[in-house]
Structures are given as structure tokens and as C-alpha cells.
Amino acid sequence: MTKQVLWTKVVLETFIEEGNLNERQQYLIRTRCAGYSIARQAEELHLSVDQINKNIAELKKIYDATQVNSKILPKRKNNSKEL
């Protein structure tokens, strides 16, 4: 997801606010934008890599649903080349 959206502070904060993210989701999106690996996130949260991947998939669904009604959030791209 970090390669599908050009994350700026405004976009990140808008997504967190409009998406009504919980603390874990906020941590995941902030640390992904900061460049943390999935393995590092899993280690710091004491979760499996699989669970982190499931949480990221859920964040993508939340982003897509939130983006439809937002004037600030850009549409997710299919890959990093489209950015």
C-alpha cells in the first residue's frame, strides 16, 4: 500500500481521521510510511507476519472505502510505476 499511494503528511492524517483507524491500524500505516518492514512491525507488535499482512489488507479496504468520499485522498495505483 505504501507504493500505491503517494503518502504526504496531509494524506496520512486525513486517512487516519476519515478512516476512523484504531491504534494498531494507525501504528501500522504510520510505520509503513516511515519505511518499516512487515517483519519489523510483526516483531514490535508481537504478531505473526501473516497477521500483519491481514491487517494491511484490511487497511487497503478501509482506504478504498474512505477514498471514494474524500476530496483529499488520491486513488490507489495498481503498482509503484504508476506513481
Side-chain angles (χ1 to χ4, degrees):
M1 184 164 165
T2 56
K3 296 179 181 172
Q4 296 173 327
V5 175
L6 184 59
W7 291 102
T8 63
K9 184 172 178 120
V10 172
V11 171
L12 177 63
E13 295 302 325
T14 301
F15 175 49
I16 290 170
E17 182 180 326
E18 291 182 8
N20 296 319
L21 302 185
N22 64 34
E23 287 182 33
R24 180 188 292 179
Q25 292 168 331
Q26 288 181 38
Y27 172 82
L28 288 173
I29 194 64
R30 287 183 193 279
T31 55
R32 290 298 294 156
C33 290
Y36 284 32
S37 69
I38 292 173
R40 181 174 174 186
Q41 289 176 315
E43 183 179 323
E44 290 186 5
L45 291 175
H46 305 289
L47 297 171
S48 68
V49 169
D50 186 52
Q51 184 61 49
I52 298 297
N53 285 327
K54 287 177 183 176
N55 290 157
I56 291 171
E58 182 66 25
L59 281 170
K60 288 180 181 183
K61 290 177 185 175
I62 293 170
Y63 184 90
D64 290 342
T66 304
Q67 184 274 326
V68 171
N69 299 317
S70 177
K71 295 181 181 180
I72 297 173
L73 298 177
K75 188 163 177 65
R76 277 193 313 129
K77 304 296 181 187
N78 291 327
N79 56 46
S80 60
K81 292 179 183 178
E82 289 185 19
L83 283 176

XYZ file of all heavy atoms in Angstrom:
681
model
N 0.827 -1.191 0.000
C 0.000 0.000 0.000
C 0.869 1.250 0.000
O 0.470 2.254 -0.557
C -0.922 -0.021 1.214
C -1.875 1.135 1.246
S -3.202 0.795 2.399
C -3.848 2.399 2.569
N 2.042 1.174 0.598
C 2.886 2.365 0.637
C 3.405 2.709 -0.749
O 3.825 3.838 -0.976
C 4.080 2.184 1.597
O 4.818 1.032 1.226
C 3.609 2.069 3.024
N 3.376 1.747 -1.672
C 3.817 2.010 -3.032
C 2.637 2.280 -3.958
O 2.816 2.469 -5.147
C 4.643 0.837 -3.554
C 5.926 0.653 -2.777
C 6.713 -0.515 -3.268
C 7.976 -0.653 -2.437
N 8.695 -1.867 -2.730
N 1.429 2.316 -3.427
C 0.239 2.552 -4.242
C -0.337 3.943 -4.032
O -1.198 4.370 -4.787
C -0.821 1.508 -3.920
C -0.385 0.099 -4.286
C -1.378 -0.937 -3.817
O -2.017 -0.781 -2.788
N -1.514 -1.997 -4.587
N 0.134 4.631 -3.005
C -0.325 5.978 -2.691
C 0.906 6.823 -2.403
O 1.825 6.370 -1.721
C -1.259 5.981 -1.450
C -1.646 7.388 -1.055
C -2.493 5.144 -1.699
N 0.923 8.040 -2.914
C 1.999 8.965 -2.590
C 1.646 9.595 -1.241
O 0.786 10.470 -1.156
C 2.139 10.034 -3.676
C 3.295 10.997 -3.507
C 4.628 10.236 -3.461
C 3.313 11.994 -4.645
N 2.273 9.096 -0.181
C 1.917 9.499 1.172
C 2.578 10.816 1.535
O 3.786 10.954 1.489
C 2.326 8.427 2.184
C 1.502 7.193 2.060
C 1.855 6.029 1.461
C 0.164 7.014 2.522
N 0.822 5.134 1.516
C -0.228 5.711 2.169
C -0.740 7.818 3.201
C -1.489 5.196 2.468
C -1.989 7.316 3.497
C -2.352 6.023 3.139
N 1.757 11.775 1.886
C 2.222 13.026 2.463
C 1.617 13.101 3.849
O 0.739 12.304 4.202
C 1.753 14.238 1.639
O 0.316 14.292 1.674
C 2.233 14.158 0.195
N 2.065 14.049 4.634
C 1.523 14.195 5.986
C 0.015 14.449 5.933
O -0.749 13.887 6.710
C 2.238 15.317 6.731
C 1.800 15.449 8.156
C 2.658 16.424 8.927
C 2.135 16.550 10.330
N 3.062 16.172 11.331
N -0.411 15.278 4.995
C -1.838 15.604 4.866
C -2.640 14.365 4.490
O -3.693 14.095 5.080
C -2.041 16.734 3.828
C -3.519 16.950 3.536
C -1.396 18.022 4.303
N -2.152 13.593 3.530
C -2.860 12.382 3.098
C -2.921 11.377 4.240
O -3.975 10.795 4.514
C -2.190 11.772 1.841
C -2.778 10.409 1.520
C -2.336 12.702 0.656
N -1.809 11.189 4.935
C -1.759 10.242 6.049
C -2.736 10.637 7.156
O -3.547 9.818 7.606
C -0.335 10.150 6.609
C -0.142 9.247 7.817
C -0.461 7.800 7.472
C 1.277 9.374 8.340
N -2.673 11.875 7.589
C -3.550 12.322 8.680
C -5.018 12.306 8.264
O -5.891 11.980 9.062
C -3.133 13.716 9.164
C -1.747 13.758 9.795
C -1.568 12.825 10.989
O -2.530 12.624 11.768
O -0.463 12.281 11.136
N -5.289 12.633 7.011
C -6.666 12.590 6.511
C -7.188 11.163 6.532
O -8.323 10.910 6.961
C -6.747 13.166 5.085
O -6.284 14.513 5.114
C -8.165 13.116 4.551
N -6.375 10.219 6.075
C -6.787 8.818 6.080
C -7.048 8.332 7.499
O -8.057 7.664 7.754
C -5.729 7.953 5.401
C -6.013 6.481 5.466
C -7.245 5.964 5.114
C -5.042 5.597 5.886
C -7.516 4.594 5.171
C -5.281 4.237 5.946
C -6.522 3.743 5.591
N -6.171 8.660 8.419
C -6.350 8.226 9.806
C -7.642 8.791 10.383
O -8.411 8.074 11.033
C -5.127 8.613 10.660
C -3.924 7.757 10.257
C -5.432 8.499 12.148
C -2.612 8.189 10.856
N -7.903 10.068 10.113
C -9.096 10.711 10.659
C -10.372 10.219 9.972
O -11.316 9.800 10.636
C -8.985 12.228 10.504
C -10.156 12.977 11.100
C -10.007 14.472 10.937
O -8.877 14.979 10.990
O -11.050 15.141 10.769
N -10.397 10.266 8.647
C -11.611 9.901 7.920
C -11.869 8.395 7.944
O -13.016 7.968 7.842
C -11.540 10.410 6.482
C -11.608 11.912 6.377
C -11.589 12.429 4.948
O -11.676 11.617 3.999
O -11.494 13.659 4.784
N -10.822 7.602 8.065
C -10.981 6.154 8.114
C -11.291 5.622 9.501
O -11.544 4.429 9.665
N -11.267 6.505 10.508
C -11.525 6.109 11.894
C -10.676 4.906 12.300
O -11.182 3.906 12.803
C -13.005 5.808 12.121
C -13.867 7.026 11.939
O -13.505 8.123 12.361
N -14.995 6.850 11.284
N -9.371 5.020 12.089
C -8.473 3.903 12.374
C -8.245 3.745 13.871
O -8.124 4.722 14.599
C -7.123 4.128 11.681
C -7.149 4.302 10.167
C -5.722 4.395 9.633
C -7.902 3.184 9.485
N -8.152 2.484 14.306
C -7.841 2.214 15.703
C -6.324 2.354 15.914
O -5.580 2.621 14.970
C -8.373 0.839 16.142
C -7.722 -0.307 15.393
O -6.548 -0.270 15.035
N -8.500 -1.362 15.164
N -5.864 2.162 17.138
C -4.455 2.396 17.461
C -3.515 1.481 16.672
O -2.480 1.915 16.190
C -4.215 2.231 18.957
C -4.779 3.372 19.779
C -4.490 3.220 21.265
O -3.430 2.668 21.607
O -5.322 3.658 22.059
N -3.854 0.205 16.553
C -2.998 -0.719 15.806
C -2.928 -0.308 14.331
O -1.860 -0.286 13.726
C -3.487 -2.155 15.905
C -2.562 -3.105 15.110
C -3.082 -4.501 15.010
N -3.073 -5.157 16.304
C -3.507 -6.397 16.498
N -3.972 -7.111 15.492
N -3.483 -6.931 17.690
N -4.069 0.034 13.749
C -4.098 0.436 12.350
C -3.285 1.718 12.137
O -2.564 1.840 11.156
C -5.539 0.631 11.886
C -6.324 -0.655 11.819
C -7.810 -0.431 11.652
O -8.354 0.581 12.094
N -8.482 -1.391 11.014
N -3.401 2.645 13.068
C -2.616 3.882 12.976
C -1.126 3.577 13.043
O -0.341 4.127 12.263
C -2.985 4.847 14.108
C -4.339 5.483 13.954
C -4.648 6.452 15.071
O -3.780 7.169 15.542
N -5.905 6.475 15.494
N -0.735 2.704 13.965
C 0.671 2.322 14.082
C 1.154 1.696 12.776
O 2.223 2.045 12.274
C 0.870 1.344 15.246
C 2.266 0.769 15.288
C 3.302 1.485 15.875
C 2.552 -0.462 14.717
C 4.597 0.981 15.886
C 3.840 -0.975 14.723
C 4.856 -0.253 15.312
O 6.134 -0.759 15.308
N 0.365 0.771 12.224
C 0.767 0.081 11.004
C 0.954 1.044 9.833
O 1.952 0.982 9.127
C -0.243 -1.002 10.640
C -0.242 -2.240 11.522
C -1.398 -3.160 11.150
C 1.081 -2.974 11.419
N 0.000 1.942 9.624
C 0.103 2.836 8.473
C 1.224 3.850 8.673
O 1.962 4.166 7.742
C -1.249 3.512 8.138
C -1.203 4.148 6.748
C -1.664 4.522 9.165
C -1.022 3.171 5.620
N 1.386 4.356 9.886
C 2.468 5.320 10.141
C 3.839 4.671 9.963
O 4.732 5.254 9.353
C 2.357 5.886 11.550
C 1.224 6.861 11.741
C 1.227 7.430 13.158
N 0.008 8.123 13.478
C -0.261 9.380 13.122
N 0.614 10.064 12.416
N -1.397 9.940 13.454
N 4.011 3.468 10.467
C 5.312 2.813 10.361
C 5.585 2.320 8.945
O 6.726 2.335 8.508
C 5.453 1.667 11.382
O 4.362 0.745 11.230
C 5.496 2.200 12.801
N 4.550 1.917 8.204
C 4.756 1.544 6.801
C 5.206 2.763 6.009
O 6.088 2.680 5.177
C 3.477 0.966 6.176
C 3.076 -0.385 6.698
C 4.083 -1.468 6.450
N 4.227 -1.731 5.026
C 5.312 -2.270 4.477
N 6.318 -2.615 5.210
N 5.356 -2.477 3.189
N 4.597 3.899 6.270
C 5.005 5.136 5.580
C 6.424 5.539 5.974
O 7.138 6.152 5.182
C 4.038 6.259 5.903
S 2.411 6.045 5.155
N 6.828 5.192 7.187
C 8.180 5.503 7.656
C 9.214 4.506 7.147
O 10.408 4.678 7.381
C 8.201 5.541 9.184
N 8.756 3.446 6.467
C 9.685 2.501 5.861
C 9.947 1.234 6.649
O 10.836 0.466 6.302
N 9.188 0.991 7.709
C 9.364 -0.241 8.466
C 8.978 -1.440 7.595
O 8.029 -1.367 6.820
C 8.458 -0.257 9.704
C 8.893 0.596 10.855
C 9.579 1.784 10.677
C 8.584 0.221 12.154
C 9.945 2.573 11.749
C 8.947 1.004 13.232
C 9.621 2.182 13.023
O 9.981 2.959 14.083
N 9.684 -2.527 7.774
C 9.326 -3.760 7.076
C 8.184 -4.449 7.819
O 7.940 -4.181 9.005
C 10.525 -4.703 7.003
O 10.835 -5.188 8.289
N 7.525 -5.349 7.128
C 6.445 -6.110 7.756
C 7.003 -6.956 8.898
O 6.380 -7.084 9.951
C 5.707 -6.960 6.706
C 4.958 -6.043 5.750
C 4.754 -7.947 7.366
C 4.318 -6.748 4.568
N 8.189 -7.510 8.697
C 8.820 -8.321 9.747
C 9.092 -7.491 10.991
O 8.868 -7.955 12.119
C 10.112 -8.934 9.233
N 9.559 -6.269 10.805
C 9.828 -5.398 11.957
C 8.537 -5.041 12.681
O 8.480 -5.028 13.911
C 10.545 -4.133 11.491
C 10.893 -3.186 12.614
C 11.724 -2.032 12.140
N 11.931 -1.069 13.206
C 12.528 0.095 13.035
N 13.001 0.434 11.848
N 12.656 0.932 14.044
N 7.484 -4.738 11.928
C 6.196 -4.438 12.548
C 5.697 -5.641 13.345
O 5.214 -5.490 14.462
C 5.163 -4.061 11.486
C 5.401 -2.718 10.852
C 4.410 -2.445 9.745
O 4.139 -3.300 8.907
N 3.874 -1.242 9.732
N 5.805 -6.827 12.759
C 5.356 -8.042 13.438
C 6.125 -8.254 14.729
O 5.537 -8.587 15.768
C 5.527 -9.248 12.515
N 7.418 -8.023 14.683
C 8.253 -8.193 15.872
C 7.872 -7.196 16.966
O 7.728 -7.566 18.130
C 9.722 -8.006 15.494
C 10.681 -8.238 16.635
C 12.124 -8.068 16.200
O 12.458 -8.450 15.062
O 12.899 -7.536 17.006
N 7.674 -5.942 16.589
C 7.355 -4.917 17.586
C 5.953 -5.092 18.177
O 5.722 -4.721 19.318
C 7.522 -3.531 16.980
C 8.982 -3.199 16.729
C 9.218 -1.778 16.268
O 8.256 -0.987 16.220
O 10.377 -1.463 15.966
N 5.022 -5.641 17.386
C 3.662 -5.854 17.881
C 3.447 -7.252 18.454
O 2.353 -7.569 18.910
C 2.654 -5.598 16.755
C 2.504 -4.153 16.299
C 1.575 -4.075 15.095
C 1.997 -3.271 17.422
N 4.485 -8.094 18.373
C 4.394 -9.474 18.853
C 3.278 -10.225 18.137
O 2.471 -10.918 18.751
C 4.208 -9.525 20.374
C 5.257 -8.790 21.130
N 6.553 -9.240 21.231
C 5.226 -7.604 21.791
C 7.266 -8.382 21.933
N 6.487 -7.378 22.273
N 3.247 -10.039 16.800
C 2.280 -10.716 15.952
C 3.028 -11.473 14.863
O 4.209 -11.240 14.633
C 1.341 -9.693 15.295
C 0.456 -8.870 16.223
C -0.236 -7.763 15.442
C -0.578 -9.761 16.890
N 2.318 -12.332 14.165
C 2.931 -13.043 13.041
C 2.925 -12.138 11.808
O 2.126 -11.198 11.700
C 2.166 -14.326 12.742
O 0.886 -14.013 12.228
N 3.810 -12.442 10.877
C 3.856 -11.713 9.613
C 2.523 -11.867 8.891
O 2.012 -10.915 8.288
C 5.037 -12.204 8.744
C 4.956 -11.657 7.336
C 6.365 -11.841 9.391
N 1.929 -13.048 8.971
C 0.638 -13.298 8.348
C -0.443 -12.370 8.913
O -1.264 -11.834 8.165
C 0.233 -14.764 8.536
C -1.036 -15.105 7.785
O -1.100 -14.812 6.570
O -1.963 -15.650 8.410
N -0.428 -12.164 10.222
C -1.428 -11.284 10.845
C -1.221 -9.838 10.384
O -2.193 -9.116 10.133
C -1.365 -11.365 12.375
C -2.442 -10.550 13.068
C -3.847 -11.010 12.709
O -4.140 -12.193 12.772
N -4.703 -10.095 12.320
N 0.023 -9.409 10.259
C 0.303 -8.057 9.767
C -0.213 -7.912 8.341
O -0.833 -6.904 7.992
C 1.816 -7.734 9.842
C 2.312 -7.767 11.293
C 2.116 -6.389 9.184
C 1.704 -6.737 12.213
N 0.029 -8.921 7.512
C -0.467 -8.881 6.132
C -1.994 -8.805 6.080
O -2.560 -8.103 5.242
C 0.028 -10.091 5.342
C 1.482 -9.970 4.975
O 1.990 -8.877 4.730
N 2.176 -11.096 4.937
N -2.670 -9.506 6.977
C -4.132 -9.436 7.040
C -4.583 -8.041 7.452
O -5.549 -7.509 6.907
C -4.673 -10.472 8.024
C -4.584 -11.890 7.516
C -5.064 -12.885 8.549
C -4.885 -14.316 8.048
N -5.248 -15.301 9.073
N -3.870 -7.445 8.404
C -4.202 -6.088 8.838
C -3.979 -5.076 7.715
O -4.761 -4.135 7.551
C -3.382 -5.690 10.063
C -3.763 -6.425 11.329
O -2.977 -6.540 12.259
N -4.984 -6.935 11.408
N -2.926 -5.259 6.938
C -2.646 -4.367 5.818
C -3.723 -4.509 4.738
O -4.173 -3.516 4.158
C -1.235 -4.617 5.248
C -0.187 -4.148 6.267
C -1.042 -3.898 3.911
C 1.242 -4.536 5.922
N -4.170 -5.732 4.490
C -5.255 -5.956 3.530
C -6.523 -5.236 3.990
O -7.249 -4.647 3.169
C -5.509 -7.445 3.349
N -6.776 -5.278 5.281
C -7.940 -4.576 5.834
C -7.778 -3.062 5.672
O -8.739 -2.362 5.340
C -8.127 -4.943 7.314
C -9.335 -4.291 7.959
C -10.660 -4.759 7.394
O -10.741 -5.877 6.865
O -11.635 -3.979 7.466
N -6.567 -2.558 5.889
C -6.310 -1.126 5.694
C -6.566 -0.711 4.250
O -7.072 0.384 3.997
C -4.876 -0.777 6.094
C -4.602 -0.635 7.582
C -3.104 -0.522 7.838
C -5.334 0.565 8.156
N -6.229 -1.563 3.306
C -6.482 -1.263 1.894
C -7.979 -1.144 1.628
O -8.428 -0.252 0.906
C -5.876 -2.343 0.992
C -4.366 -2.289 0.934
C -3.818 -3.389 0.035
C -2.308 -3.351 -0.004
N -1.752 -4.365 -0.910
N -8.757 -2.030 2.218
C -10.217 -1.966 2.053
C -10.769 -0.688 2.671
O -11.637 -0.025 2.090
C -10.879 -3.188 2.693
C -10.614 -4.479 1.963
C -11.244 -5.653 2.680
C -10.870 -6.962 2.015
N -11.374 -8.122 2.750
N -10.279 -0.347 3.861
C -10.718 0.878 4.526
C -10.336 2.089 3.685
O -11.131 3.013 3.504
C -10.117 0.986 5.947
C -10.688 -0.106 6.847
C -10.385 2.366 6.549
C -9.981 -0.244 8.188
N -9.107 2.090 3.148
C -8.657 3.213 2.330
C -9.552 3.374 1.110
O -9.996 4.488 0.802
C -7.204 3.026 1.887
C -6.687 4.231 1.122
C -6.082 5.279 1.799
C -6.828 4.323 -0.256
C -5.634 6.400 1.114
C -6.385 5.434 -0.950
C -5.788 6.473 -0.250
O -5.354 7.585 -0.930
N -9.821 2.289 0.412
C -10.646 2.365 -0.798
C -12.044 2.887 -0.480
O -12.598 3.696 -1.229
C -10.723 1.002 -1.479
C -9.400 0.590 -2.121
O -8.538 1.468 -2.344
O -9.232 -0.625 -2.374
N -12.630 2.444 0.622
C -13.961 2.904 1.010
C -13.938 4.375 1.423
O -14.862 5.132 1.113
C -14.496 2.046 2.158
N -12.881 4.790 2.088
C -12.756 6.172 2.551
C -12.441 7.110 1.393
O -12.957 8.233 1.333
C -11.647 6.278 3.623
O -11.934 5.361 4.682
C -11.554 7.679 4.186
N -11.626 6.660 0.473
C -11.181 7.489 -0.642
C -12.348 7.938 -1.516
O -12.344 9.051 -2.032
C -10.150 6.715 -1.466
C -9.529 7.501 -2.610
C -10.343 7.459 -3.885
O -10.983 6.458 -4.200
N -10.331 8.552 -4.607
N -13.355 7.120 -1.666
C -14.499 7.437 -2.516
C -15.158 8.749 -2.095
O -15.572 9.551 -2.939
C -15.528 6.280 -2.485
C -16.813 6.664 -3.185
C -14.931 5.034 -3.104
N -15.246 8.994 -0.795
C -15.940 10.175 -0.283
C -15.006 11.311 0.114
O -15.457 12.313 0.656
C -16.797 9.786 0.924
C -17.855 8.774 0.546
O -18.499 8.902 -0.487
N -18.031 7.750 1.361
N -13.732 11.162 -0.133
C -12.756 12.169 0.284
C -12.294 13.006 -0.901
O -12.058 12.494 -1.991
C -11.552 11.491 0.924
O -10.572 12.454 1.259
N -12.126 14.303 -0.653
C -11.603 15.202 -1.675
C -10.078 15.264 -1.613
O -9.451 15.771 -2.525
C -12.185 16.594 -1.495
C -13.672 16.647 -1.728
C -14.220 18.034 -1.556
C -15.730 18.016 -1.787
N -16.315 19.332 -1.628
N -9.488 14.731 -0.553
C -8.043 14.827 -0.340
C -7.322 13.531 -0.713
O -6.244 13.567 -1.295
C -7.738 15.201 1.125
C -8.310 16.594 1.421
C -6.245 15.156 1.414
C -8.223 17.020 2.855
N -7.909 12.397 -0.395
C -7.234 11.116 -0.616
C -7.202 10.749 -2.095
O -8.246 10.684 -2.746
C -7.935 9.997 0.170
C -7.956 10.147 1.679
C -8.745 8.998 2.306
C -6.556 10.198 2.243
N -5.996 10.486 -2.633
C -5.897 10.077 -4.035
C -6.279 8.602 -4.205
O -6.193 7.823 -3.264
C -4.417 10.288 -4.351
C -3.724 10.116 -3.041
C -4.678 10.622 -2.000
N -6.670 8.250 -5.401
C -6.997 6.864 -5.704
C -5.718 6.033 -5.657
O -4.663 6.481 -6.070
C -7.629 6.787 -7.089
C -8.191 5.434 -7.442
C -9.128 5.559 -8.614
C -9.666 4.232 -9.060
N -10.501 3.569 -8.107
N -5.830 4.801 -5.136
C -4.664 3.905 -5.081
C -4.282 3.495 -6.487
O -5.125 3.214 -7.325
C -4.989 2.640 -4.277
C -4.862 2.797 -2.818
C -4.868 1.497 -2.046
N -5.908 0.555 -2.411
C -5.679 -0.726 -2.705
N -4.479 -1.229 -2.684
N -6.680 -1.517 -3.004
N -2.988 3.421 -6.740
C -2.481 2.968 -8.024
C -2.296 1.459 -7.984
O -2.210 0.853 -6.924
C -1.130 3.643 -8.330
C -1.188 5.162 -8.299
C -2.096 5.712 -9.369
C -2.100 7.226 -9.319
N -3.067 7.815 -10.201
N -2.195 0.850 -9.153
C -2.014 -0.603 -9.227
C -0.613 -1.036 -8.835
O -0.408 -2.127 -8.325
C -2.332 -1.117 -10.620
C -3.798 -1.004 -10.942
O -4.638 -1.132 -10.069
N -4.114 -0.761 -12.188
N 0.381 -0.175 -9.091
C 1.754 -0.512 -8.761
C 2.572 0.774 -8.609
O 2.086 1.866 -8.908
C 2.379 -1.435 -9.798
C 2.305 -0.859 -11.193
O 2.606 0.306 -11.396
N 1.931 -1.677 -12.164
N 3.816 0.633 -8.185
C 4.660 1.794 -7.925
C 5.035 2.545 -9.197
O 5.327 3.734 -9.152
C 5.904 1.386 -7.168
O 6.649 0.457 -7.926
N 4.996 1.894 -10.347
C 5.339 2.554 -11.610
C 4.320 3.626 -11.989
O 4.648 4.574 -12.675
C 5.475 1.527 -12.722
C 6.664 0.616 -12.551
C 6.760 -0.400 -13.660
C 7.917 -1.328 -13.417
N 8.025 -2.368 -14.431
N 3.078 3.461 -11.559
C 2.043 4.434 -11.879
C 2.185 5.718 -11.073
O 1.631 6.727 -11.458
C 0.668 3.828 -11.633
C 0.269 2.768 -12.624
C -1.144 2.283 -12.426
O -1.947 2.980 -11.773
O -1.452 1.190 -12.917
N 2.887 5.668 -9.964
C 3.081 6.867 -9.158
C 3.930 7.858 -9.928
O 3.824 9.007 -9.859
C 3.733 6.547 -7.819
C 2.842 5.949 -6.757
C 3.660 5.608 -5.520
C 1.723 6.883 -6.378
